[in-house]
Amino acid sequence: MTRWPPRPKLSSAFYKAHGLGNDYLVFEEGDDWLATDRNVRLVCDRYRGVGADGIVVLLRAGTAHAHDLHLRMFNPDGGEFERSGNGLRVLGSFAARRWPEAEALTVHVGGDRVEMVLHGRSGAEHDISVQMGHAVTGPEAISLDVGALLDDGSLLGPAGQHLTVVPVSVGNPHLVVVAESEDDVTDQALEQLGPFVATHPALRHGANMQLACVLEPGRCRALIWERGVGRTAASGTSACAVAVALVSRGDLEPGDVRVEMPGGHLGVQVASDLSVILRGPVEEVCEGRLTDDLVASLRTEGPS
């Protein structure tokens, strides 16, 4: 069964911004090029295209006003995915430019409705929060085959080590690996565990992977390996998943959690019922248009 509707056609105009180094391109639905796997990969390529960690598409159904925006999201490998906290907030910064009077946005993405608040801006930096809804934990939340888990709930790692894992859905799948100490949260460990966990055969649709630890009450550290992307400096939904995982385990108390990542930190508010609000900065980068010759090279027909 097809998970996603047919690929949209997009305009050649784009807007680019980033949340802590996790950058996205915003394209509006149009008539210039088809968002096939190949074309998305080319546009996101940092040497042959514009370069980005993904594309956010604002559909025609969501261009009338800021109260009912409809989106689709694509990873740089061309695959479509459910949602991105940073991608949503990048779209929020685009909307703040389009509708300067807007203070709140309603967004439909991945079959869910998401509320955003535009708290303000200082120069090119926007302060935006997203109500990410209720997170769900447990293997069934991310279509993880429980047969892959050991008796203690851990997952056998690539070197035979027992990995303490917490499956979390924040509208998209995450598998958080909880480390015992900050000394275990290293680039070397991420390079070993990231591709192994994110594409584990027990995961029906793959998952984003985070290597995380508690630093002190209300504060934690995370390294991130995103499904379809690889290592990223920051991720909004990953920050949410880490905070939820640590709260659900009792390692952190519900409330405000500062999630520190290589690109910076995001604030995640986790309630006792695991409802989540993500807040942090988004910085504008540029706006532009794909050249006519590049658009001509993007296939407008063919399989997605």
Side-chain angles (χ1 to χ4, degrees):
M1 183 176 67
T2 302
R3 294 187 64 210
W4 304 106
R7 293 296 178 99
K9 285 188 175 180
L10 312 184
S11 166
S12 61
F14 66 85
Y15 165 80
K16 184 175 183 178
H18 71 90
L20 304 181
N22 188 205
D23 58 346
Y24 283 84
L25 298 168
V26 177
F27 284 90
E28 295 188 53
E29 189 174 10
D31 300 305
D32 294 333
W33 61 283
L34 186 66
T36 62
D37 284 2
R38 168 193 176 273
N39 290 346
V40 169
R41 287 195 299 269
L42 176 58
V43 171
C44 288
D45 190 290
R46 298 190 182 277
Y47 302 99
R48 296 178 175 84
V50 181
D53 287 327
I55 289 176
V56 181
V57 178
L58 177 59
L59 301 175
R60 285 194 176 104
T63 57
H65 51 73
H67 306 298
D68 197 32
L69 306 182
H70 293 255
L71 312 178
R72 293 175 69 178
M73 294 188 171
F74 298 92
N75 274 324
D77 69 350
E80 187 162 1
F81 68 107
E82 299 86 352
R83 72 167 74 173
S84 157
N86 281 336
L88 284 168
R89 294 185 311 106
V90 165
L91 183 280
S93 70
F94 173 85
R97 292 162 56 91
R98 170 71 68 85
W99 299 282
E101 73 285 355
E103 297 180 353
L105 309 172
T106 297
V107 174
H108 301 266
V109 61
D112 292 324
R113 173 175 165 162
V114 177
E115 304 293 336
M116 278 194 279
V117 177
L118 309 179
H119 297 281
R121 64 181 292 180
S122 176
E125 186 172 285
H126 299 253
D127 180 10
I128 300 175
S129 64
V130 185
Q131 294 181 3
M132 300 295 287
H134 286 81
V136 182
T137 61
E140 65 284 351
I142 64 169
S143 299
L144 171 64
D145 183 358
V146 295
L149 300 178
L150 303 176
D151 291 342
D152 61 359
S154 64
L155 182 72
L156 199 62
Q161 70 272 49
H162 289 205
L163 303 176
T164 300
V165 295
V166 183
V168 181
S169 173
V170 193
N172 61 346
H174 301 264
L175 195 55
V176 181
V177 177
V178 181
E180 292 186 4
S181 73
E182 187 177 5
D183 292 339
D184 299 318
V185 182
T186 65
D187 293 339
Q188 181 180 4
L190 181 69
E191 292 292 334
Q192 178 191 47
L193 297 177
F196 174 83
V197 172
T199 61
H200 198 284
L203 291 162
R204 186 180 305 168
H205 306 300
N208 302 295
M209 175 269 184
Q210 303 81 26
L211 181 59
C213 69
V214 172
L215 298 176
E216 61 185 24
R219 181 169 162 250
C220 61
R221 180 172 182 238
L223 300 178
I224 300 158
W225 192 278
E226 286 195 346
R227 174 186 56 164
V229 181
R231 179 177 178 170
T232 60
S235 164
T237 56
S238 287
C240 294
V242 167
V244 166
L246 296 176
V247 168
S248 69
R249 279 172 45 87
D251 297 331
L252 291 175
E253 294 293 325
D256 293 329
V257 177
R258 176 185 168 112
V259 183
E260 300 180 2
M261 299 164 286
H265 72 271
L266 290 171
V268 181
Q269 186 180 95
V270 183
S272 56
D273 64 353
L274 299 187
S275 59
V276 180
I277 298 175
L278 172 69
R279 183 170 179 174
V282 172
E283 189 168 5
E284 300 172 2
V285 175
C286 65
E287 56 185 359
R289 182 176 295 275
L290 305 181
T291 67
D292 292 343
D293 287 339
L294 178 59
V295 169
S297 75
L298 301 175
R299 292 197 302 257
T300 56
E301 302 294 339
S304 62

